[in-house]
Amino acid sequence: MEGNWKGGRLWTNRTVNATPLRKECVWGPEHLSFVRAGKIRTPVGIPTSRTPEDPAPLGPRPPGTRRDPLDAMCPPTQGGLRISPFGHVSLLVLHRLSRALLFPSYWALDRFLVWGRPDSWGCRAIGLHLLSALLGAAVGLLLLSATLPLALPGLLLWLPLQPRRRPFCYAPPPGGWQPPAPWRPSTDPPRAFGFLTANLCLFSDGLARFSNLRHSQRRAKEAARVFEKWSRGGGKGSAYGTTDGSPRREPRGPGEVLATLPGRLDFVCLQEMFDLRAEDRLVRQLGPALGHVLYDVGAAGLRPGLRLKLLGSGLLLASRYPLLAARFLPFPNGCREDALASKGLLSAQVQLGTLDQRRIVGFLHCTHLHAPEGDGSVRSEQLSLVLEWAEQFEAENSKGGDAVAFSVFMGDLNFDNCSPDDALEQKHNVFSCFTDPCRLGPCSEQPWALGTLLNIKFLHHSVVSCPKELKSALEEEDGRRTFLDHRPTTGIPLTPWQGRRIDYILYQQGRPSQGQPGPVLTATVKHMTFSTALAGLTDHLAVGLELQVAPAAFDPHAPGKTT
């Protein structure tokens, strides 16, 4: 292998079948002896800085090939996003080792929670209930005790690595994936963008059973099949802003209940992806379907104030459009059952196209707010942080000439718009900065809006386990009263009865570009959906929003206003 030094790094000129390849960054000078000794192979297909005379970068990696671990040490991909959450491959190896040492205790603790719950054995007699719980707890404790010698060094190795870890992992599109065509409003029609938010409740099995859900790995596999079926069915939509010639049933109103995922999905935000094995199943499927995926999101370890965070945020974001920037910030006020989770705000900037040599960008903000009931002040404080952090992120990542198509805020906010206990959150300023299509005002919903939280008592009912049957039930008021969660009310019962809507997709119009009196692009709600496609797999409905973005028409007699 021949090479020369430039800028303190070894560069090699390699040929394959007499065809020169681009110069590749192999390693730093401190590892020169290893390279010369042939102990480290030169990675292929890693993006690097190129000079004008260099050949074009290599194409995407063929499907099915494994990514080289040295990818973690190479320059970032488009937008500065790195595949690995660590800047050096050795830290990545140590982090994986620490997780491997911790996993046996994690599994044993999970078995203790599963086996120690009487209902997990399906016994009906009270005596058998107690006996099975005692035996299960005893076996679980024995397994946990046997795995603790591995957990202690694993924890001591894991904790100091967390400050060096970026708060998310990035999975680029797989080889052969076809991205959407960039949008050029000057020649293209208005374009629609589809958003989806869903809480999948993918805890470990033991914790998921507190929500009357079981078998997290099996549910993750089935959820991946739902997205796979959507992808194979051509759900991406073939023509944006126009019809593609295929028949489509017209919705009965702005909001509609679907037994499938919405036909157009460009951005998907998932919550409660706490089990990493279950999350990995979803990542492997969402990559071929949507392309870019941010996962394993969270800032764990010892946080300021000596707060120990053992879980991530549970957030996952997938995008069909290129990610230009991303950031995660954890909430500082998690407490009670949320104390060990690193919940926060995941923000991302995506590029949608170009307009007069300027970028068309969109902003996505995903979160999962504090869960315990009665903690409205905690959620209200978190909403204030969301507004502050979202504004800061958009200001830091916007260029002067950018045309902003939308800013979308979505996730499980853990409060509804009708319960008296949620009065503080219902009046928060977030609803002045963002538009909620389902909301008329505090304690007032659109007549077509629907609750998104299911009644956990009926999660194993045959109706709730079937997407089509659940859709039919929720279209009737009796079905909504039976299968949707609700809180007791002291006032006049709501008519029609809608249930608790705690999953939101809010949007904000694009901002004026530099030198413009008003927004260059405007977004309007085209469709709102409540999907039962994940029935039997979670205790939430999936919520979808379709925004249509078009160039704004300015009134010359009224600067700053759109028509």
Side-chain angles (χ1 to χ4, degrees):
M1 180 177 65
E2 300 178 357
N4 61 302
W5 287 99
K6 289 184 180 180
R9 293 185 179 273
L10 176 66
W11 296 84
T12 63
N13 294 313
R14 305 173 58 211
T15 60
V16 176
N17 297 330
T19 302
L21 300 181
R22 60 182 172 86
K23 298 178 180 180
E24 297 176 341
C25 168
V26 180
W27 209 274
E30 65 274 18
H31 301 290
L32 176 60
S33 59
F34 289 88
V35 176
R36 287 177 174 169
K39 296 181 180 179
I40 297 177
R41 61 187 177 89
T42 307
V44 178
I46 300 175
T48 62
S49 302
R50 294 188 297 117
T51 58
E53 65 271 16
D54 287 333
L58 297 177
R61 180 180 289 101
T65 58
R66 299 187 63 181
R67 184 173 302 279
D68 194 290
L70 295 181
D71 282 359
M73 302 181 56
C74 293
T77 59
Q78 180 183 12
L81 299 181
R82 296 178 183 270
I83 296 172
S84 170
F86 291 97
H88 197 283
V89 68
S90 61
L91 297 179
L92 178 62
V93 172
L94 290 175
H95 190 254
R96 289 177 177 175
L97 175 61
S98 67
R99 283 185 168 178
L101 293 173
L102 288 169
F103 179 76
S105 292
Y106 168 82
W107 180 85
L109 179 60
D110 183 45
R111 293 300 93 191
F112 170 75
L113 294 175
V114 172
W115 295 336
R117 289 179 61 85
D119 58 351
S120 66
W121 289 73
C123 302
R124 294 184 178 275
I126 296 179
L128 291 179
H129 268 266
L130 296 177
L131 180 61
S132 64
L134 290 174
L135 289 176
V139 174
L141 283 176
L142 287 175
L143 289 174
L144 185 60
S145 301
T147 58
L148 285 180
L150 290 176
L152 182 58
L155 183 63
L156 295 177
L157 179 61
W158 180 80
L159 283 175
L161 289 172
Q162 299 314 302
R164 303 292 302 274
R165 181 186 182 274
R166 300 183 189 92
F168 54 79
C169 296
Y170 168 60
W177 183 78
Q178 295 296 326
W183 182 39
R184 296 177 175 84
S186 56
T187 58
D188 298 341
R191 179 166 291 194
F193 299 93
F195 307 83
L196 183 82
T197 179
N199 185 324
L200 294 187
C201 198
L202 288 178
F203 294 95
S204 63
D205 281 349
L207 293 178
R209 289 172 189 254
F210 286 95
S211 297
N212 203 17
L213 291 167
R214 306 174 183 177
H215 310 300
S216 293
Q217 305 305 317
R218 190 181 306 172
R219 289 189 293 113
K221 184 178 180 179
E222 293 300 322
R225 287 179 178 175
V226 172
F227 284 99
E228 180 182 12
K229 182 178 179 181
W230 171 85
S231 178
R232 290 182 176 179
K236 302 180 183 66
S238 59
Y240 289 86
T242 61
T243 58
D244 57 3
S246 59
R248 178 182 176 183
R249 183 172 62 89
E250 289 296 326
R252 291 171 293 178
E256 183 182 14
V257 183
L258 298 178
T260 61
L261 293 177
R264 176 176 283 110
L265 289 182
D266 296 296
F267 311 100
V268 173
C269 174
L270 303 179
Q271 301 93 48
E272 291 194 355
M273 308 287 290
F274 288 110
D275 188 277
L276 297 181
R277 293 176 298 162
E279 183 182 45
D280 185 62
R281 292 180 183 271
L282 268 298
V283 171
R284 290 200 302 265
Q285 185 52 52
L286 287 174
L290 291 167
H292 308 266
V293 183
L294 297 177
Y295 66 101
D296 198 1
V297 180
L302 283 176
R303 307 302 301 168
L306 295 180
R307 295 187 176 187
L308 180 62
K309 301 292 184 180
L310 296 178
L311 300 175
S313 68
L315 296 175
L316 181 149
L317 176 64
S319 169
R320 293 185 64 225
Y321 288 85
L323 295 169
L324 299 178
R327 184 182 72 175
F328 174 82
L329 292 177
F331 295 134
N333 59 348
C335 57
R336 296 170 62 183
E337 54 256 51
D338 276 0
L340 296 179
S342 177
K343 289 186 175 181
L345 179 69
L346 175 63
S347 298
Q349 182 190 41
V350 294
Q351 182 162 358
L352 309 173
T354 56
L355 175 63
D356 300 330
Q357 306 300 319
R358 295 176 295 171
R359 300 187 308 177
I360 300 177
V361 299
F363 292 98
L364 306 168
H365 305 286
C366 310
T367 194
H368 184 193
L369 294 188
H370 189 66
E373 296 183 4
D375 285 353
S377 59
V378 176
R379 282 185 289 273
S380 182
E381 182 180 347
Q382 291 178 350
L383 284 173
S384 298
L385 289 173
V386 164
L387 291 180
E388 177 185 346
W389 292 344
E391 181 180 4
Q392 182 187 67
F393 177 80
E394 295 182 13
E396 291 176 353
N397 292 281
S398 295
K399 296 182 179 179
D402 283 350
V404 180
F406 54 74
S407 177
V408 170
F409 173 43
M410 54 184 170
D412 180 355
L413 304 190
N414 272 314
F415 67 88
D416 62 62
N417 192 37
C418 295
S419 299
D421 293 342
D422 296 333
L424 186 62
E425 302 97 302
Q426 294 162 7
K427 300 177 182 178
H428 195 275
N429 191 43
V430 69
F431 296 106
S432 299
C433 299
F434 288 86
T435 300
D436 182 358
C438 299
R439 170 186 163 112
L440 294 174
C443 298
S444 180
E445 295 275 85
Q446 294 280 4
W448 45 262
L450 188 65
T452 60
L453 184 62
L454 298 174
N455 190 333
I456 63 172
K457 296 179 181 179
F458 295 97
L459 289 183
H460 300 289
H461 193 282
S462 59
V463 172
V464 179
S465 301
C466 177
K468 292 183 179 180
E469 292 187 15
L470 181 58
K471 171 187 178 295
S472 299
L474 296 182
E475 290 176 335
E476 304 293 335
E477 184 163 346
D478 288 342
R480 293 194 294 270
R481 289 185 179 274
T482 302
F483 299 115
L484 292 181
D485 185 63
H486 64 280
R487 287 178 177 173
T489 57
T490 56
I492 300 176
L494 294 176
T495 303
W497 200 89
Q498 295 170 302
R500 298 190 63 210
R501 183 175 62 90
I502 66 173
D503 300 272
Y504 294 77
I505 303 182
L506 315 180
Y507 74 98
Q508 190 180 67
Q509 295 284 356
R511 298 184 304 274
S513 299
Q514 188 175 19
Q516 296 287 342
V520 178
L521 301 170
T522 58
T524 56
V525 175
K526 189 176 181 181
H527 200 199
M528 195 87 193
T529 58
F530 303 89
S531 172
T532 63
L534 300 170
L537 307 177
T538 178
D539 56 349
H540 289 246
L541 300 182
V543 179
L545 171 67
E546 189 173 334
L547 287 179
Q548 181 162 292
V549 182
F554 290 96
D555 183 354
H557 302 290
K561 295 183 179 180
T562 60
T563 58

